[in-house]
Amino acid sequence: RIMDGIGKKFMEMTKYQFLGKSSQARGLPQPPLEKEFDTSKPPINLPQPDKLKLGNVPLIEVINNRRSIRKYSDTPLSLEELSYLLWCTQGVKKVADKVTFRTVPSAGARHAFETYVLINKVEGVIPGLYRYLALRHKLLELNTEQDIADKIVAGCMRQTFVASSAATFIWVADVARMAWRYGERGYRYLHLDAGHVCQNLYLAAESIGCGACAIAAFDDDFINEVIGIDGVDEFVIYVATVGKKI
């Protein structure tokens, strides 16, 4: 029999009958569509989505060939390929009425994720930790210290392919953006949305001759600290590596 533990309690207490009025229902202001960032450092321009000439493999072939891959070649991603993967997983197609419409589904179009990327091998980009500015389709440098990859590996339970990938995507949940509309039940939707995003990475990677591998085994407190978030209002929810196939 399944234990009567915290998982079961979570599912019970996030049922609709236990929810109070959401912040939206109470007329409270909506959180920003994107986390603030340091504007003193100019971000890296990425090739624009409408200029990308990638991913022309039939969808049925992409789905059939998709699988988790943990070993990658030393061939780096091009900046165009990184741009393609970022846009396919969190790209903004339209902003209207304080809502973003993106390349993935999200409960109530809340899109409560920020994408961080550990770049190991991307042409023209210094290895390090970056953040994707989805509303601008740009890349912001955060940490290029030599040991940052080692710290991310340690945060991912010493799974070394995190550092041998071309890039490792780290999705951070911004709780307020989801909870504003859905309250405590929003925690369920954050985890569902993470699955949508990661599957898009798998399919997009396969369409350009790359492989991906999702990672859910990570030390929450450690990796949140490395990323520079509090682990409460923002927390790492999912990680995935990507790189060229051997």
Side-chain angles (χ1 to χ4, degrees), residues 87-103:
W87 186 82
C88 286
T89 51
Q90 278 290 277
V92 176
K93 298 186 290 183
K94 181 181 178 181
V95 180
D97 299 324
K98 297 182 179 179
V99 172
T100 59
F101 297 92
R102 306 199 187 198
T103 53

Side-chain angles (χ1 to χ4, degrees), residues 19 23 28-29 52 84 89 92 131 139 172 191 193 203-204 211:
L19 305 182
S23 295
L28 296 176
L52 299 174
Y84 173 77
T89 51
V92 176
R131 184 179 145 213
L139 201 61
V172 169
H191 290 88
D193 281 5
L203 299 180

Side-chain angles (χ1 to χ4, degrees), residues 3-208:
M3 294 178 64
D4 294 328
I6 56 174
K8 198 168 184 178
K9 290 177 182 177
F10 167 76
M11 294 302 293
E12 179 66 22
M13 297 309 297
T14 52
K15 290 179 178 177
Y16 280 110
Q17 62 261 39
F18 298 116
L19 305 182
K21 274 192 172 183
S22 67
S23 295
Q24 181 184 25
R26 288 184 283 136
L28 296 176
Q30 175 179 320
L33 299 176
E34 184 175 64
K35 181 180 177 180
E36 293 182 353
F37 61 94
D38 182 1
T39 57
S40 66
K41 182 179 293 187
I44 298 170
N45 291 321
L46 294 168
Q48 290 301 301
D50 60 352
K51 304 297 183 184
L52 299 174
K53 307 296 182 183
L54 300 169
N56 296 317
V57 183
L59 180 59
I60 192 168
E61 184 177 330
V62 169
I63 292 173
N64 186 57
N65 292 335
R66 184 222 60 79
R67 61 189 179 89
S68 292
I69 293 177
R70 295 171 175 81
K71 292 183 179 180
Y72 309 105
S73 77
D74 291 329
T75 304
L77 292 177
S78 67
L79 193 60
E80 184 181 28
E81 288 170 326
L82 178 63
S83 174
Y84 173 77
L85 295 173
L86 287 166
W87 186 82
C88 286
T89 51
Q90 278 290 277
V92 176
K93 298 186 290 183
K94 181 181 178 181
V95 180
D97 299 324
K98 297 182 179 179
V99 172
T100 59
F101 297 92
R102 306 199 187 198
T103 53
V104 290
S106 175
R110 298 312 306 144
H111 294 292
F113 296 147
E114 295 291 341
T115 304
Y116 292 73
V117 189
L118 174 66
I119 290 179
N120 299 311
K121 295 186 286 286
V122 175
E123 293 174 352
V125 182
I126 299 170
L129 182 66
Y130 293 77
R131 184 179 145 213
Y132 176 48
L133 305 178
L135 292 178
R136 297 159 180 78
H137 194 65
K138 296 177 186 290
L139 201 61
L140 183 69
E141 180 187 308
L142 297 178
N143 187 334
T144 55
E145 295 177 4
Q146 287 190 340
D147 65 346
I148 185 61
D150 292 336
K151 289 179 178 178
I152 300 295
V153 168
C156 291
M157 305 298 193
R158 303 289 175 185
Q159 297 180 82
T160 55
F161 63 96
V162 166
S164 62
S165 67
T168 293
F169 285 58
I170 304 166
W171 293 291
V172 169
D174 182 338
V175 176
R177 270 159 45 195
M178 184 64 76
W180 176 76
R181 175 166 292 179
Y182 297 111
E184 293 295 314
R185 193 171 176 88
Y187 282 92
R188 289 197 193 195
Y189 302 154
L190 288 171
H191 290 88
L192 294 173
D193 281 5
H196 304 324
V197 173
C198 193
Q199 177 70 344
N200 264 32
L201 180 65
Y202 267 94
L203 299 180
E206 181 63 38
S207 74
I208 57 172

